[in-house]
Amino acid sequence: MAKVSKKEKNIELYKAILSLRNLDECCRFFEDLCTVPELRAMEQRYEVASLLNQGLIYNDILEKTGASSATISRVNRSLNYGASGYEDVFRNLAEQSDEKDEAE
């Protein structure tokens, strides 16, 4: 049996996520894949990113989310110096929202 590299294993996970057809499948997959604390941590980081993207300041985000200043700082670094993943998601969601508005 051929050895699979770490990168190939990561790619397989991302392909699996992209294969999900709707929100329900996505929720169920992540519930199976992650522990409750892992999910809560990811949800919190995404909420922090969204609030930072909206221009909120650290103290307001801390109050709204309960996230630590270290978490807020780490997410902010990702927004400013990361791989543009959050930026892609925010842009895609905005485009989907625009398309939905145009259809109505």
Side-chain angles (χ1 to χ4, degrees):
M1 182 174 189
K3 189 173 182 181
V4 178
S5 73
K6 184 176 180 182
K7 184 173 181 167
E8 288 173 320
K9 289 179 184 178
N10 291 343
I11 296 299
E12 290 304 313
L13 171 62
Y14 302 135
K15 287 179 181 178
I17 292 167
L18 287 172
S19 77
L20 299 168
R21 289 176 271 177
N22 56 49
L23 183 60
D24 184 56
E25 283 186 5
C26 186
C27 290
R28 288 186 288 121
F29 178 74
F30 277 93
E31 285 174 15
D32 287 347
L33 181 66
C34 302
T35 65
V36 170
E38 289 168 336
L39 280 172
R40 298 301 163 253
M42 288 189 290
E43 291 163 354
Q44 183 182 64
R45 286 192 298 271
Y46 179 77
E47 183 180 15
V48 167
S50 181
L51 295 172
L52 284 166
N53 190 57
Q54 293 170 34
L56 270 71
I57 61 172
Y58 275 51
N59 287 341
D60 292 339
I61 294 169
L62 186 107
E63 188 176 303
K64 281 183 175 273
T65 66
S68 69
S69 59
T71 296
I72 297 169
S73 179
R74 188 227 176 269
V75 170
N76 192 48
R77 270 192 314 277
S78 293
L79 281 169
N80 291 309
Y81 307 108
S84 301
Y86 285 122
E87 186 179 306
D88 293 341
V89 166
F90 296 142
R91 182 187 60 251
N92 293 344
L93 289 172
E95 288 172 1
Q96 288 173 5
S97 179
D98 290 347
E99 290 170 4
K100 181 181 175 190
D101 291 344
E102 290 173 6
E104 291 177 352

